[in-house]
Amino acid sequence: MPSFRLHPHPSTSSTSDQHSHHHRQHTSTDADIAVGAGTSTLEIAEEELDHDQGSESVSVRTRWKDIMSDNSAVINTFIAGGLAGAASRTVVSPLERLKIILQVQASSASHGSSGQAYSGVWESLTRMWKNEGWRGFMKGNGINVVRILPYSALQFTSYGAFKSVLATWSGEEVLSTPLRLTAGAGAGIVAVAATYPLDLVRARLSVATSGMAIKSTSGGFTAEDAKLGMVGMTKKVYRTEGGIRGLYRGCWATAVGVAPYVSLNFYIYESLKSMILPSSLSPTTSEPELILRKLSCGALAGATSLIFTHPFDVLRRKLQVAGLASMSPQHNGAVDVIKWIVRTEGFWKGMYRGLVPNLIKVTPSIAVSFYTFETVRDLLAALGEE
């Protein structure tokens, strides 16, 4: 009997292989689709994340622009005030230094001053130039600018803020004279409190390098102190005169003197401006004439204010250099200083010491300050509208 061996049918085997290949191909395709779908989902997620981050970034920028826009007037005032102060003080730097030296130098050689006293404005400026050159004229101006930038910025900004608060409180559209003077006083006090240590250090540097305050053996400045810069002098005062208390020596007397000065300054300037630059002024007025009128308002305001408040400035300088034993006796506060000045020099000679160079300094300084402030503020406002 024949035997039969069973062999797979060729077509059946081929079909099975094809099916297997098709299954593998199908599985591979599903995997590719799944990977592709996952990749697509990831890309979409990344795009959404980028979009959210972009939206958040745009939102932050928008909020920042809104804040800047809402406070543009305050920001412009702050910037313009700082630049006005820096420009005005740099213009009169030699006179500023000379004023300090004349105010604090001893009235006679009996107090142990080892250097020759300065006398006369032009003679003193000539001596300063011969001894120290251009650097002598600018000595202390760096720290003066560092101090006056925030001081002037805070003064102008605070004045506007106090006026706004007082207008809301009083209900007056146009502030009365007492309220305007109050706003100016508040602005002066805020500015002094924030920047007083820099003012004290500047005064010390001006005197220490003048050739008068050396060879002291009782705790004052020495020849080495004349080489100190802003940081070095600050460290010396902090280390040897009681820390923060030493850096704020005479601050209250300064605030008492600055408050009426700033009050009068702003009040007189605004009053003069309404007369010298009235709204009825002809539109054909030339630009040079407008500039001259603006400068005149500031100059007259500064000079008038100074005449009333100069004694406070002298008192401030005396207190600031109280640690300089070679310059004057040590004092126990402002009242003691006033008594000593009146007793040894008389009221007018002592309390108005340095008035002439101070007037020569203040007149152009305040003129430049107000003019620069209004020019920069108006320029910034015009740029913000574009």
Side-chain angles (χ1 to χ4, degrees), residues 84-153:
S88 65
R89 291 309 172 93
T90 301
V91 166
V92 295
S93 178
L95 291 168
E96 174 70 16
R97 187 186 176 206
L98 177 59
K99 181 202 74 171
I100 295 173
I101 293 172
L102 291 176
Q103 284 178 342
V104 303
Q105 70 180 0
S107 57
S108 68
S110 61
H111 302 302
S113 178
S114 60
Q116 180 184 357
Y118 282 71
S119 61
V121 176
W122 305 117
E123 179 185 343
S124 298
L125 289 173
T126 302
R127 173 184 167 187
M128 192 184 298
W129 175 262
K130 288 181 178 179
N131 292 345
E132 304 176 72
W134 178 254
R135 292 184 63 182
F137 277 179
M138 293 293 115
K139 191 70 177 182
N141 188 58
I143 190 172
N144 200 16
V145 169
V146 170
R147 179 191 72 89
I148 204 64
L149 275 168
Y151 176 88
S152 184

Side-chain angles (χ1 to χ4, degrees), residues 51-104:
H51 177 71
D52 292 341
Q53 290 176 340
S55 299
E56 183 178 351
S57 178
V58 171
S59 178
V60 170
R61 287 197 299 268
T62 301
R63 288 198 297 269
W64 177 251
K65 289 179 69 176
D66 290 341
I67 292 173
M68 295 290 286
S69 177
D70 293 341
N71 298 278
S72 60
V74 176
I75 295 170
N76 291 348
T77 299
F78 190 85
I79 295 172
L83 292 177
S88 65
R89 291 309 172 93
T90 301
V91 166
V92 295
S93 178
L95 291 168
E96 174 70 16
R97 187 186 176 206
L98 177 59
K99 181 202 74 171
I100 295 173
I101 293 172
L102 291 176
Q103 284 178 342
V104 303

Side-chain angles (χ1 to χ4, degrees), residues 307-366:
I307 291 173
F308 287 103
T309 60
H310 183 77
F312 290 105
D313 198 34
V314 173
L315 178 61
R316 170 172 58 129
R317 297 305 180 193
K318 290 287 188 181
L319 288 169
Q320 285 179 344
V321 298
L324 185 53
S326 64
M327 295 299 298
S328 61
Q330 299 302 291
H331 301 289
N332 297 318
V335 175
D336 187 41
V337 173
I338 294 173
K339 290 179 179 178
W340 177 80
I341 292 174
V342 173
R343 183 175 64 252
T344 59
E345 302 180 67
F347 178 81
W348 295 108
K349 184 178 179 181
M351 298 304 293
Y352 276 88
R353 175 180 292 278
L355 176 63
V356 174
N358 207 9
L359 277 172
I360 296 173
K361 175 191 76 72
V362 163
T363 301
S365 176
I366 299 301

Side-chain angles (χ1 to χ4, degrees), residues 168-184:
T168 302
W169 173 75
S170 65
E172 299 177 3
E173 291 186 8
V174 179
L175 289 180
S176 61
T177 296
L179 291 182
R180 287 165 64 188
L181 291 173
T182 300

